Amino acid sequence: RKKVDVNPKTSGLGGPVAAVAKIDSEDTTNNQYFSFEPYEFPGEAILVPKAGKNVSLPSEEDACYMLVLVTNGKDLTTDVAIFDVEGDQAFENGPILRFPLPVFTPHLLHGSFAEGVTFEFG
């Protein structure tokens, strides 16, 4: 029923990927948005369930944190922003924690890595 999105076009917020949204597909009056600075661009969101919560249950589906890399196009720096997604208005309050990475990560650079996993092509 709910999802997290980047660059919500219907919210009227910011330019190329400048905002994140928590969408309620059953009641759009419950949608929540957070807009970054005009020179900041969020990357792909990662949802992490809270300890002891079962996000497959409708009553706990938003019991998670959202981690997102935020590229600062002005200073060429990258931060990690962590949002509490659970509850009304929690998302719109902005990140509960934000800290800089020691290196710049270009916008939308993402991937998953697993030690010892390889692919054979051909």
Side-chain angles (χ1 to χ4, degrees):
R1 167 183 143 169
K2 296 177 185 167
K3 72 173 189 167
V4 175
D5 196 6
V6 295
N7 199 26
K9 300 283 187 200
T10 59
S11 70
L13 302 173
V17 179
V20 290
K22 177 182 172 183
I23 306 297
D24 186 326
S25 65
E26 293 180 2
D27 183 356
T28 58
T29 63
N30 291 329
N31 291 352
Q32 298 180 41
Y33 304 96
F34 181 81
S35 182
F36 292 90
E37 296 295 331
Y39 50 84
E40 294 182 318
F41 309 101
E44 184 175 14
I46 299 170
L47 296 176
V48 180
K50 292 181 177 180
K53 299 290 184 167
N54 182 352
V55 294
S56 65
L57 297 174
S59 63
E60 296 182 6
E61 69 181 346
D62 65 349
C64 58
Y65 298 103
M66 181 184 76
L67 285 68
V68 62
L69 293 180
V70 182
T71 301
N72 182 319
K74 183 172 72 173
D75 299 333
L76 297 181
T77 57
T78 305
D79 289 352
V80 175
I82 302 174
F83 290 79
D84 186 345
V85 180
E86 187 174 21
D88 294 335
Q89 306 305 314
F91 194 78
E92 291 182 336
N93 291 331
I96 58 171
L97 180 64
R98 185 170 171 162
F99 58 91
L101 290 179
V103 296
F104 173 69
T105 304
H107 184 246
L108 295 179
L109 175 64
H110 62 276
S112 297
F113 303 92
E115 187 175 343
V117 175
T118 60
F119 298 93
E120 293 183 26
F121 298 97

